[in-house]
Amino acid sequence: MATPTGAIFEKPATLRTRVEEFLRASIMDGRIKGGERLRELELCEQLGISRSTLREALRTLEAERLISIEPHRGPTVVRITEKAARDLYALRALLEGYAAHEFARLADDADIERLRKAVDALHRQSKGSNKAALLAAKRDFYDVLLSGCDNDLVKDMLPGLLSRINLLRATSFARSDRLPESLAEIDHLFERIRARDPQGAQEAARSHIVNAERTALEVLRRQQEETQGSEGDRPRTEGRGSAGPAG
């Protein structure tokens, strides 16, 4: 931020912010799984922080709907259900399809160049093994896209959605052959935007999201099957009268 004197002042990240970023990244890259409890005492000891600092960070993640905090149970990472995924991708298709249409209609040469650089950065990150950096590059691509669509309401609606989009995006990358497909779809979207083809850009964005949804749902179903299988393999406790896993 520029001060009246012209000097640049950068506010240092607070400890709470660094804790938020650590926990968010741990969820994004799968080190903390959906449905897993966050044990406050263990986290405080691991990170060397106070419980009040941790709880402030957890409240932010709860507002982003990455975790839920239940009485007598504490914070738990949200498990994405099939219904939640379908609802989220339906909203993504509407918002991002509109954003692509408007970007192609309104963007100037400087906007197109910023988007090109974001696409190039995404390709560079795809060649590495850092999933967090890859997700960040795709987030940057969408930040440019949304900034160029010139609709403040769309940008206001997305902040609470972006973290869950990133969580599902991390899930959709779990299929090894999805990433090359995703990059090809984004390249096609960019070409329609560069050609100043609003309708083509909207269709390309929606097609990309439909394909991402299909992959994410496949992964979610497989994870659910694996979870049900592991629960079915657990030894039964005598005397509980259980005839098997609940339907």
Side-chain angles (χ1 to χ4, degrees), residues 1-2 17-18 27 36 41 45 86 91 114 118 128 143 150 161 176 179 189-190 195 205 233 235 237 242 244:
M1 179 181 70
T17 300
R18 295 200 300 273
I27 294 170
E36 185 174 338
L41 183 59
E45 292 176 350
R86 289 186 184 280
L91 186 55
R114 281 192 290 272
D143 286 345
D150 195 32
L161 193 65
S176 60
L179 182 54
L189 168 59
F190 175 69
D233 290 339
T237 302
S242 175

Side-chain angles (χ1 to χ4, degrees), residues 1-12:
M1 179 181 70
T3 67
T5 64
I8 301 299
F9 172 74
E10 294 184 359
K11 185 177 180 181

Side-chain angles (χ1 to χ4, degrees), residues 89 167-175 178-179 212-213 215-216 219:
Y89 276 107
L167 185 56
L168 283 170
R169 191 172 289 143
T171 300
S172 68
F173 282 153
R175 203 188 77 191
R178 173 57 192 159
L179 182 54
E213 177 186 19
T215 301
V219 174

Side-chain angles (χ1 to χ4, degrees), residues 146-178:
L146 292 171
S147 295
C149 78
D150 195 32
N151 187 305
D152 291 336
L153 185 57
V154 171
K155 289 187 287 185
D156 287 343
M157 291 172 65
L158 282 173
L161 193 65
L162 287 176
S163 292
R164 284 173 288 160
I165 287 174
N166 287 339
L167 185 56
L168 283 170
R169 191 172 289 143
T171 300
S172 68
F173 282 153
R175 203 188 77 191
S176 60
D177 60 342
R178 173 57 192 159

Side-chain angles (χ1 to χ4, degrees), residues 5-238:
T5 64
I8 301 299
F9 172 74
E10 294 184 359
K11 185 177 180 181
T14 64
L15 178 59
R16 187 207 68 207
T17 300
R18 295 200 300 273
V19 174
E20 289 172 12
E21 291 172 350
F22 170 81
L23 292 174
R24 190 182 293 110
S26 297
I27 294 170
M28 291 298 105
D29 65 18
R31 281 178 286 161
I32 305 177
K33 307 292 186 183
E36 185 174 338
R37 289 182 61 191
L38 300 176
R39 303 185 185 279
E40 293 187 16
L41 183 59
E42 291 179 7
L43 284 171
C44 289
E45 292 176 350
Q46 176 188 352
L47 302 177
I49 59 175
S50 68
R51 181 162 286 188
S52 62
T53 297
L54 175 64
R55 286 181 172 174
E56 288 175 1
L58 292 174
R59 280 194 289 271
T60 298
L61 298 183
E62 183 183 29
E64 295 175 4
R65 298 190 181 181
L66 284 178
I67 67 170
S68 62
I69 301 177
E70 304 173 15
H72 312 300
R73 179 173 172 79
T76 304
V77 177
V78 169
R79 190 191 300 276
I80 302 295
T81 65
E82 185 173 333
K83 168 111 176 21
R86 289 186 184 280
D87 290 349
L88 185 54
Y89 276 107
L91 186 55
R92 278 191 64 193
L94 289 172
L95 294 180
E96 293 179 14
Y98 172 85
H101 182 283
E102 293 301 282
F103 193 103
R105 186 175 70 86
L106 300 171
D108 58 22
D109 290 344
D111 293 326
I112 298 289
E113 178 61 14
R114 281 192 290 272
L115 193 64
R116 183 193 66 78
K117 290 180 177 178
V119 173
D120 288 347
L122 183 56
H123 277 276
R124 285 197 303 274
Q125 293 298 339
S126 72
K127 294 179 173 63
S129 58
N130 188 333
K131 182 185 287 187
L134 180 60
L135 292 172
K138 194 159 190 184
R139 183 172 59 247
D140 290 344
F141 168 82
Y142 279 108
D143 286 345
V144 175
L145 185 69
L146 292 171
S147 295
C149 78
D150 195 32
N151 187 305
D152 291 336
L153 185 57
V154 171
K155 289 187 287 185
D156 287 343
M157 291 172 65
L158 282 173
L161 193 65
L162 287 176
S163 292
R164 284 173 288 160
I165 287 174
N166 287 339
L167 185 56
L168 283 170
R169 191 172 289 143
T171 300
S172 68
F173 282 153
R175 203 188 77 191
S176 60
D177 60 342
R178 173 57 192 159
L179 182 54
E181 295 173 355
S182 178
L183 292 172
E185 292 159 8
I186 289 173
D187 287 342
H188 176 60
L189 168 59
F190 175 69
E191 288 303 321
R192 290 299 86 213
I193 287 174
R194 185 162 61 180
R196 313 288 181 167
D197 177 7
Q199 189 61 39
Q202 184 174 31
E203 291 172 359
R206 287 180 172 174
S207 176
H208 172 60
I209 294 163
V210 166
N211 291 333
E213 177 186 19
R214 184 182 302 113
T215 301
L217 291 176
E218 289 174 1
V219 174
L220 286 172
R221 292 187 189 111
R222 185 169 66 246
Q223 290 172 344
Q224 290 170 355
E225 290 170 0
E226 291 172 353
T227 299
Q228 291 170 354
S230 63
E231 290 176 349
D233 290 339
R234 290 175 185 167
R236 300 176 185 174
T237 302
E238 294 182 4

